[in-house]
């Protein structure tokens, strides 16, 4: 056993019996590298990563390879989900070297942690023009020993790039016309046949999908609306969708959503849930309702942890093979379903030859559309197959609890619950929030990762910003002031310990050690970046309980999106909410019917403030001057600094919020 045996990360624990003398990231590992004068080999991955497992089996479990690694390097293993700060720094360095990036991330550092070269997966033997991993190790060590000038040149160039900061100046040009142009560009980037962005692989890209929805709603763009629905429908029909167990895999390797990369991530499903609810609320189509319900079923059945939080991911592999738990042969379907097999095979594309390595990935991409009686039968058959599948060896679960990812689940559950009238999903969200707020806070500081009672603190800006937004989302749905108080508390922590003088957030808190730079992300990855989450939370807090102007901070954050807007979709979405959203204030003792109507408005375009008896709006809120007119119950619709007269009649309120003929609310 190496030094990973006492770690909490399931990914690090997977490597505790490697012959490699692994260190976890930290001051001790860096000090040892300096003491021995050795370069560092940094390997970054995560528990559900297929190619991380491949490289582990081929190289890290191989005694001969380990001898070379141990002789030439101080070897550090990092879970990217547990230490996103380390991952972001060195992935950015890899991109600066002209590499595409991905995991496993393999970087070579000086003994001070400064990057000078790297790559991703390296094979154990030379093939396809790529050198073997041991050849790479020996050549890098030779360069460090014999050509220090080349190493210094790379190191200096990479450090200069990593430390460069774009001037944070407000940009007043980022208004409605700019959003319209970006939305039109986004529409052209989508595949009109299969949905999603053109080409393969295809990722869900939830933030871009929300941007597309917003553009369609804002501009009355029927083509963009159709692309939004097409993308979700094709995903729901494809093999990326788990048709038996619910939920979605991380991405598809092809351009039509058929063949998934089988790992299932909490964050993808958290973000897709409210989008399917949006589509279901707009169209009423069962395919969208079923996809949303399937995500929640999967969360409850396979990801829920004691206490109410959710695990991070399910592995792509089982029994050493990618996707083995999920695929079927025709003979297996015949055996399990008997006389009913033909109906199922027709509906889900099951054939003797299969559609992936001789087996079938279940999908609904064929032309067959079952009638109501057949659909009822298929529901029963899916249950039988799921029971059978559950008796197979299952993919490993990474059971650490991440604050930011769980906050995304809370947000998704609440928004979908309001759109689809699922009050039980609200209760699930409350339980999850309670776990994070109670079990993942230590000495007033929010942590990032929890497992088996062990909490890693302090958290990252993404944790605070996501929890700030989760608290506001729960407040909008339930009107409980405790959530609003929490949102203010998370906000204060961000401004005190994570923000620079302009208001932009660093990923790590002030005083962070063992990092060569302090990352300040604005680009979205598979999850929204810290500043994008923060921007939306700021807009919602300002609409509910303003404490001062957010204009300059929001303009600075949005300014970072201007050069590459489609890589900053979470920031675009916050800007759209600020410019075009409505703030709905409901007050008075007889307000329940009005509240239900307000909360049924799709979440991208509104905030809701529920003023129970005795509670007042802050002095800076545009509705403050009118609240005295609420009487026993009234609603006020505010846009910018202007609010409507009190609306007391539910039917009149509904008409005031009347959607366009397309059924999408336009402020």
């Amino acid at each position: 056993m190496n030094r990973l045996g006492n770690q909490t990360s399931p990914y690090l624990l997977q490597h505790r019996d490697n012959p490699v003398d692994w260190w976890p990231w930290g001051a001790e590992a860096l000090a040892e590298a300096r003491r021995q004068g050795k370069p560092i080999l940094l390997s970054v991955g995560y528990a559900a990563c297929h190619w991380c497992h491949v490289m582990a089996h081929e190289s890290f479990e191989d005694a001969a390879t380990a001898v070379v690694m141990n002789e030439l390097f101080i070897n550090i293993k990092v879970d990217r989900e547990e230490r996103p700060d380390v991952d972001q720094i060195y992935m950015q360095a890899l991109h600066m070297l002209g590499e595409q990036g991905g995991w496993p991330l393999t970087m070579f550092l000086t003994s001070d942690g400064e990057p000078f070269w790297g790559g991703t997966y390296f094979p154990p033997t030379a093939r396809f023009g790529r050198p073997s991993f041991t050849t790479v190790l020996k050549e890098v060590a030779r360069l460090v020993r014999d050509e220090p000038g080349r190493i210094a040149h790379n190191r200096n160039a990479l450090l200069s790039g990593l430390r460069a900061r774009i001037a944070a100046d407000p940009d007043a040009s980022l208004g409605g016309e700019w959003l319209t142009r970006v939305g039109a560009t986004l529409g052209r980037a989508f595949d009109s046949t299969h949905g999603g962005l053109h080409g393969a692989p295809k990722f869900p890209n939830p933030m871009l999908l929300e941007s597309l929805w917003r553009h369609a709603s804002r501009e009355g763009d029927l083509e963009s609306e159709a692309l939004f629905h097409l993308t979700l429908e094709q995903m729901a029909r494809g093999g990326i969708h788990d048709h038996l167990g619910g939920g979605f895999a991380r991405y598809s390797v092809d351009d039509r959503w058929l063949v998934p990369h089988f790992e299932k991530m909490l964050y993808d499903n958290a973000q897709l849930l409210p989008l399917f609810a949006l589509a279901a609320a707009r169209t009423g189509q069962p395919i969208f309702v079923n996809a949303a319900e399937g995500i929640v079923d999967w969360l409850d059945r396979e990801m829920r942890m004691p206490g109410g939080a959710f695990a991070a991911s399910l592995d792509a592999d089982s029994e050493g093979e990618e996707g083995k738990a999920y695929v079927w042969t025709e003979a297996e379907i015949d055996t399990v379903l008997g006389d009913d097999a033909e109906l199922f095979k027709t509906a889900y594309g099951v054939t003797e030859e299969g559609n992936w390595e001789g087996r079938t990935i279940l999908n609904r991409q064929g032309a067959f559309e079952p009638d109501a009686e057949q659909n009822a039968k298929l529901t029963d058959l899916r249950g039988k197959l799921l029971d059978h599948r559950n008796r197979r060896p299952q993919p490993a679960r990474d059971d650490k609890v991440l604050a930011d990812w769980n906050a995304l689940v809370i947000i998704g559950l609440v928004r979908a619950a309001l759109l689809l009238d699922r009050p039980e999903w609200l209760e699930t969200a409350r339980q999850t929030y309670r776990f994070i707020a109670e079990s993942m806070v230590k000495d007033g500081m929010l942590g990032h990762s929890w497992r088996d009672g062990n909490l890693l603190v302090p958290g990252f800006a993404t944790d605070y910003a996501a929890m700030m937004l989760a608290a506001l989302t729960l407040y909008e749905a339930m009107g409980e002031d405790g959530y609003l108080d929490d949102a203010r508390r998370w906000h204060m922590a961000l401004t005190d310990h994570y923000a620079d003088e302009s208001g932009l957030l660093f990923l790590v808190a002030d005083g962070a050690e063992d990092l060569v730079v302090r990352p300040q992300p604005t680009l979205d990855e598979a999850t929204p970046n810290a500043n994008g989450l923060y921007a939306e939370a700021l807009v919602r807090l300002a609409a509910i309980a303003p404490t001062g102007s957010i204009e300059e901070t929001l303009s600075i954050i949005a300014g970072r999106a201007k050069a590459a807007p489609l890589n900053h979709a979470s920031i675009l979405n916050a800007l759209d909410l600020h410019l075009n959203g409505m703030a709905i204030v409901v007050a008075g003792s007889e307000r329940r019917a009005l509240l239900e109507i307000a909360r049924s408005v799709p979440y991208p375009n509104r905030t809701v403030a529920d003023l129970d008896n005795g509670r007042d709006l802050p002095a800076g809120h545009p509705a403050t001057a009118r609240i005295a007119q609420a009487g026993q119950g009234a609603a006020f619709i505010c846009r910018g600094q202007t609010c409507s007269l009190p609306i007391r009649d539910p039917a009149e309120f509904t008409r005031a919020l009347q959607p366009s003929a397309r059924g999408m609310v336009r402020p």
Side-chain angles (χ1 to χ4, degrees):
M1 182 179 290
N2 52 41
R3 292 173 180 82
L4 302 183
N6 62 353
Q7 297 297 298
T8 58
S9 160
Y11 176 66
L12 297 187
L13 291 173
Q14 289 172 0
H15 295 270
R16 63 185 170 183
D17 295 321
N18 292 170
V20 178
D21 188 15
W22 290 116
W23 292 74
W25 181 270
E28 289 186 22
L30 296 172
E32 183 65 14
R34 288 190 290 268
R35 187 185 72 80
Q36 295 193 33
K38 285 184 177 181
I40 293 168
L41 186 153
L42 175 68
S43 177
V44 183
Y46 57 101
C49 169
H50 171 69
W51 284 103
C52 299
H53 299 327
V54 171
M55 191 166 178
H57 297 323
E58 293 176 342
S59 296
F60 304 149
E61 295 171 8
D62 179 69
T65 303
V67 167
V68 178
M69 294 173 67
N70 295 337
E71 178 185 352
L72 300 177
F73 298 92
I74 296 298
N75 302 288
I76 300 179
K77 176 61 75 173
V78 168
D79 180 344
R80 69 174 295 260
E81 297 166 358
E82 195 173 72
R83 290 300 302 262
D85 52 341
V86 175
D87 178 61
Q88 285 194 18
I89 290 168
Y90 295 106
M91 186 62 75
Q92 184 180 349
L94 183 66
H95 290 156
M96 291 167 61
L97 289 166
E99 298 288 336
Q100 183 174 357
W103 298 275
L105 172 62
T106 307
M107 290 296 294
F108 296 96
L109 322 177
T110 70
S111 56
D112 290 321
E114 302 159 327
F116 60 84
W117 193 72
T120 52
Y121 164 79
F122 289 100
T125 57
R127 58 176 182 256
F128 305 120
R130 303 191 66 181
S132 71
F133 185 45
T134 53
T135 298
V136 170
L137 295 174
K138 292 174 182 178
E139 178 60 13
V140 170
R142 186 196 68 79
L143 288 169
V144 171
R145 182 184 66 247
D146 298 339
E147 302 185 45
R150 291 180 62 182
I151 300 300
H153 174 79
N154 271 20
R155 177 201 63 199
N156 293 339
L158 291 175
L159 285 177
S160 177
L162 289 171
R163 290 169 176 165
R165 291 178 61 191
I166 302 171
D169 295 322
D171 193 331
S173 69
L174 302 179
E177 292 184 5
W178 182 75
L179 281 177
T180 298
R181 292 195 300 272
V182 171
T185 300
L186 176 60
R188 292 191 293 271
F190 268 67
D191 180 344
S192 61
T193 301
H194 303 296
L197 298 180
H198 287 289
K202 276 198 187 306
F203 288 83
N205 287 311
M207 291 153 282
L208 284 178
L209 279 170
E210 182 179 325
S211 291
L212 191 66
W213 188 97
R214 287 178 175 279
H215 176 74
S217 176
R218 185 175 63 247
E219 306 298 330
D221 187 333
L222 297 177
E223 290 185 6
S224 292
E225 182 184 354
L227 284 170
F228 173 80
H229 291 133
L230 172 70
T231 299
L232 292 176
E233 179 178 353
Q234 293 304 308
M235 286 178 59
R237 291 184 177 278
I240 192 174
H241 185 197
D242 183 351
H243 292 270
L244 302 183
F248 289 79
R250 183 164 171 252
Y251 64 90
S252 70
V253 301
D254 58 90
D255 68 350
R256 61 189 187 100
W257 307 109
L258 176 61
V259 180
H261 194 42
F262 288 90
E263 65 208 57
K264 294 171 79 173
M265 311 301 295
L266 184 67
Y267 58 73
D268 284 321
N269 289 281
Q271 294 174 94
L272 286 171
L273 172 58
L275 296 177
F276 277 106
L278 274 176
R282 164 69 182 95
T283 68
Q285 292 184 17
I287 193 168
F288 300 133
V289 177
N290 294 339
E293 291 176 340
I295 289 173
V296 179
D297 289 345
W298 171 72
L299 288 171
D300 283 338
R301 185 182 63 253
E302 299 187 41
M303 305 303 285
R304 195 86 176 271
M305 300 287 291
F310 293 92
S313 64
L314 294 181
D315 208 324
D317 300 4
S318 57
E319 299 182 273
E321 295 183 26
E322 184 184 8
K324 187 173 182 179
Y326 298 103
V327 296
W328 299 83
T329 64
E330 183 181 40
E332 288 175 308
I333 300 292
D334 290 338
T335 299
V336 176
L337 298 184
D339 293 341
D340 295 320
E342 287 304 318
L343 171 62
F344 187 88
K345 290 190 294 186
T346 301
Y348 287 91
V350 180
T351 61
E352 183 178 1
E353 62 275 13
N355 54 24
W356 184 68
E357 298 181 359
R359 299 184 178 185
T360 294
I361 299 166
L362 301 181
N363 68 91
R364 294 291 299 271
Q365 293 182 332
F368 177 71
E369 290 294 339
D371 58 27
E373 182 179 349
Q374 290 170 325
N375 263 323
K377 186 66 175 177
L378 286 169
T379 299
D380 178 60
L381 299 181
R382 288 194 302 270
K384 289 182 178 180
L385 287 173
L386 180 60
D387 288 342
H388 182 85
R389 192 180 84 179
N390 287 340
R391 292 194 288 272
R392 298 172 176 173
Q394 295 298 298
R397 184 175 73 167
D398 185 333
D399 60 358
K400 66 177 177 289
V401 176
L402 299 175
D404 51 354
W405 294 9
N406 273 266
L408 294 176
V409 175
I410 294 165
I411 294 163
L413 283 169
V414 172
R415 290 173 172 175
L418 295 180
L419 286 166
L420 299 181
D421 191 21
R422 298 291 196 278
E424 67 276 17
W425 296 358
L426 285 176
E427 183 54 34
T428 299
R430 286 169 65 99
Q431 293 174 15
T432 306
Y433 185 91
R434 187 180 305 119
F435 181 92
I436 305 300
E438 295 178 357
S439 298
M440 295 187 67
V441 174
K442 182 178 181 180
D443 298 328
M445 292 189 299
L446 177 64
H448 172 63
S449 177
W450 180 98
R451 185 173 186 267
D452 289 342
N454 296 304
L455 178 66
L456 297 182
V457 291
F460 298 100
T462 47
D463 299 304
Y464 280 95
M467 282 298 288
M468 179 182 171
L469 185 54
L472 290 168
T473 304
L474 280 164
Y475 168 76
E476 289 192 61
M478 298 180 173
E480 296 178 13
D481 285 350
Y483 293 122
L484 190 56
D485 294 339
D486 283 353
R488 292 186 176 114
R489 182 158 50 92
W490 306 133
H491 180 213
M492 185 65 67
L494 286 167
T495 57
D496 287 350
H497 299 292
Y498 294 84
D500 68 10
E501 63 281 356
S502 74
L504 275 171
L505 301 181
F506 290 103
L507 182 60
V508 296
D510 47 14
E513 299 177 351
D514 68 40
L515 298 175
V516 294
V517 297
R518 192 180 177 198
Q520 195 174 44
T522 60
L523 287 169
D524 293 321
E525 297 180 338
T527 55
N529 75 84
N531 282 287
L533 287 165
Y534 183 49
E536 181 179 350
L538 280 178
V539 173
R540 291 190 181 276
L541 181 61
I544 295 168
T547 57
S549 175
I550 65 167
E551 291 290 333
E552 184 169 347
T553 298
L554 187 62
S555 184
I556 287 170
I557 294 174
R560 291 295 179 94
K562 191 170 185 179
L566 300 190
N567 293 327
H568 296 81
S570 64
I571 294 176
L572 298 186
N573 296 338
L575 181 62
D576 177 63
L577 176 64
H578 176 63
L579 294 175
N580 301 299
M582 66 180 83
I584 304 172
V585 178
V586 184
S589 58
E590 304 295 330
R591 66 189 185 284
R592 182 56 50 189
L594 297 171
L595 262 179
E596 290 181 1
I597 295 169
R599 289 167 176 162
S600 71
V601 176
Y603 65 86
N605 276 341
R606 59 94 177 118
T607 56
V608 178
D610 174 19
L611 301 190
D612 57 17
N613 292 330
R615 180 172 172 266
D616 296 323
L617 283 170
H621 197 288
T624 300
R626 295 190 181 276
I627 289 301
Q629 304 171 22
Q632 290 186 318
F636 304 84
I637 302 172
C638 306
R639 297 181 177 91
Q641 294 300 307
T642 303
C643 295
S644 69
L645 294 171
I647 306 172
R648 297 181 175 85
D649 178 59
E652 181 185 350
F653 186 36
T654 300
R655 285 192 296 272
L657 297 170
Q658 186 67 41
S660 68
R662 295 159 40 255
M664 304 182 84
V665 170
R666 298 177 64 190

